[in-house]
Amino acid sequence: MKTLPGTLALALLLAGCDSTPLEQHEYLLRPQKLEVVSGGGRSAVLLKPVQVAPYLDQSGVVLQTGPAEIRAAKQHRWAEPLDEALGRYLQVGIANAADRSVETVPITSTGDRQKIVISVHQLHGSEDGSVRLVADYVVENGAGERRLGSFDERIRQASDGYPALVAAHGSLLDQLSAEIAAALETQDD
């Protein structure tokens, strides 16, 4: 077996040490309208902690790379736990869409007010630029009556790249917020 001359081996070793690390990017999920409405005198709604599928419960932004294959990005990560970010996003989104206060921690009596439970099963992009959100939700009133809903929508990213992917996630979450707000209204009737 031949060995590399000492100078060449040292040069290759030093060249490997000089490489710059890949740049890390962190993303926040934040709605366009950050202020939460006061509710206009209507009773507050309680949003339970959002449940996420196990494959989403990680820091990497997820991309589907094949029919049954997903990958979590190593350099493109969520800046906070995704379940918490989704909870805050949906709290603001539902409150604004329904024009009522949505609490994540019961501040007032939880007696006969509506409660929302959301489970996110899919939230990822794919290599073709489509982004998908699949979720189930339950809206329960104080009398124990439940309204079940399913959400399964797909949109295209506005441009290439992870920032556009995160923006598309926000657009889908806005649609989900509007649908849940409509379910709250029908249960009020």
Side-chain angles (χ1 to χ4, degrees):
M1 179 170 137
K2 292 185 176 182
T3 59
L4 295 173
T7 308
L8 180 58
L10 182 60
L12 288 174
L13 179 64
L14 290 175
C17 292
D18 189 34
S19 65
T20 56
L22 295 174
E23 187 176 347
Q24 297 289 318
H25 301 272
E26 292 190 342
Y27 301 94
L28 292 169
L29 274 174
R30 295 291 185 263
Q32 295 295 317
K33 185 177 177 185
L34 288 175
E35 64 186 62
V36 178
V37 298
S38 64
R42 297 163 71 190
S43 64
V45 177
L46 179 63
L47 174 62
K48 298 286 198 164
V50 175
Q51 302 164 1
V52 297
Y55 85 97
L56 294 170
D57 192 16
Q58 59 180 311
S59 60
V61 177
V62 176
L63 188 67
Q64 185 173 355
T65 56
E69 183 179 352
I70 55 122
R71 290 203 179 137
K74 289 184 170 69
Q75 282 75 39
H76 298 274
R77 308 173 78 73
W78 297 113
E80 57 194 349
L82 187 59
D83 60 341
E84 293 174 20
L86 289 170
R88 280 189 292 279
Y89 194 107
L90 292 166
Q91 176 188 16
V92 173
I94 295 167
N96 289 326
D99 192 28
R100 66 193 309 171
S101 179
V102 175
E103 300 173 354
T104 54
V105 175
I107 297 171
T108 58
S109 160
T110 59
D112 63 345
R113 69 175 157 162
Q114 291 173 305
K115 297 173 187 74
I116 305 167
V117 177
I118 303 170
S119 297
V120 175
H121 306 293
Q122 294 183 37
L123 180 64
H124 59 260
S126 59
E127 291 179 325
D128 69 358
S130 66
V131 183
R132 186 172 185 192
L133 170 59
V134 177
D136 293 324
Y137 60 90
V138 177
V139 176
E140 182 179 324
N141 68 13
E145 297 168 345
R146 304 173 90 176
R147 179 178 165 91
L148 307 175
S150 292
F151 182 89
D152 185 350
E153 292 293 330
R154 188 183 302 251
I155 62 172
R156 305 265 323 147
Q157 288 181 216
S159 60
D160 290 341
Y162 282 91
L165 173 60
V166 172
H169 286 339
S171 295
L172 287 167
L173 290 168
D174 290 340
Q175 291 178 33
L176 175 59
S177 296
E179 186 172 306
I180 292 172
L184 288 169
E185 294 303 318
T186 61
Q187 209 173 48
D188 277 347
D189 298 338

